[in-house]
Each structure stands twice: as C-alpha cells, then as structure tokens.
Amino acid sequence: MALSWNKNLETGINIVDSQHKELVENLNKFFDACMEKRGKEELINMIKFLEKYIVFHFKTEEDIMQRHNFPGYSFHRSKHEEFIKSFTEIKRRFETEGATLEITTNTTKFLSDWLINHISKIDKQLSSIK
C-alpha cells in the first residue's frame, strides 16, 4: 500500500512540502515493515518515530499558520489533535496486542487515507499563505 508523492499534493510552502515528502517516505517504510511481518519491537519503534515526526510536523504547520494569521487555523489544529488521538490509540494497540494482521491492515489503511485526504483537502489550503 505504498503512497506516491505527486505535484497535486504540494502546498507551495517548501518546508511543509519537504516534511510531507519525508512523512510519505517513512510511512512507506512502515507499510513495508508491516507487509514483511517484521517483529513487534521494530514496528513499535517505527510508530514512535512517526509519532515524534508527526508532532514536529504539525507544530511547523501551526507555527506558519499563526505567523500569517491563517483564517483556518483553529479548524486545522483540531484536525491535527484528532489525528494525534487516533495515532496514540494505534500505538497503544501495537504495544498491547502486537502486530496482528487486523491491526496492521487497519493501521496502514487509516494512515494512508488520512494523510492523502488531509494533505489534498486541508493542507492544500495553506497555498494561500505566501
């Protein structure tokens, strides 16, 4: 379930686009690890890395929005908070239940769908910031 970066996902804000590309690359590594049925510890370490990177990335976006008085800031931030709650639950399930087929399948689908939809529908609005 590899994600592909394309120009339609670009916001025009270099740091945001660069971080999105890195996020896509790391999610693809996680998806590969799930498909290869790597061990629980390796997958949990990858999830922990993704969690830190996502929080870092969301802070970057939110700082940019605040600096430019972006009108959709509150809504955008709420979407980030919802995702973090969902991701925390994913991490908890991996830690307690392991990398079952159900968990890895649901996780890869959720992450790929959320990322593509969030970037293409919500982050794309950041292109109005120059």
Side-chain angles (χ1 to χ4, degrees):
M1 182 178 285
L3 297 173
S4 297
W5 182 262
N6 63 65
K7 295 263 184 206
N8 293 331
L9 297 174
E10 292 181 0
T11 65
I13 300 172
N14 291 336
I15 187 70
V16 171
D17 291 338
S18 174
Q19 288 179 4
H20 283 160
K21 288 176 188 174
E22 188 167 346
L23 189 54
V24 165
E25 288 174 21
N26 282 288
L27 281 173
N28 282 332
K29 289 177 187 175
F30 174 74
F31 297 160
D32 289 344
C34 287
M35 294 296 292
E36 294 167 6
K37 298 179 181 167
R38 295 192 198 153
K40 175 183 172 181
E41 289 305 313
E42 184 174 351
L43 291 173
I44 289 172
N45 286 336
M46 294 178 95
I47 286 173
K48 287 178 180 177
F49 169 80
L50 287 168
E51 180 181 44
K52 288 178 187 172
Y53 193 81
I54 289 164
V55 168
F56 164 75
H57 170 66
F58 286 171
K59 179 160 179 22
T60 299
E61 283 187 1
E62 291 168 10
D63 287 349
I64 291 168
M65 287 186 275
Q66 285 183 310
R67 278 197 314 270
H68 294 275
N69 295 315
F70 184 70
Y73 171 77
S74 294
F75 174 76
H76 202 129
R77 185 163 189 253
S78 73
K79 293 300 176 188
H80 288 169
E81 290 170 351
E82 288 172 18
F83 178 82
I84 289 170
K85 285 180 187 173
S86 296
F87 197 85
T88 300
E89 176 60 17
I90 287 168
K91 184 175 90 172
R92 185 199 64 75
R93 287 196 69 197
F94 267 91
E95 290 172 340
T96 59
E97 300 172 43
T100 67
L101 179 61
E102 176 200 359
I103 292 171
T104 57
T105 301
N106 290 343
T107 299
T108 56
K109 181 170 178 15
F110 168 76
L111 291 175
S112 59
D113 289 349
W114 191 91
L115 183 72
I116 296 303
N117 285 319
H118 183 78
I119 292 173
S120 66
K121 295 177 181 162
I122 296 175
D123 285 349
K124 196 75 166 163
Q125 297 170 12
L126 298 176
S127 64
S128 67
I129 296 174
K130 296 295 174 195

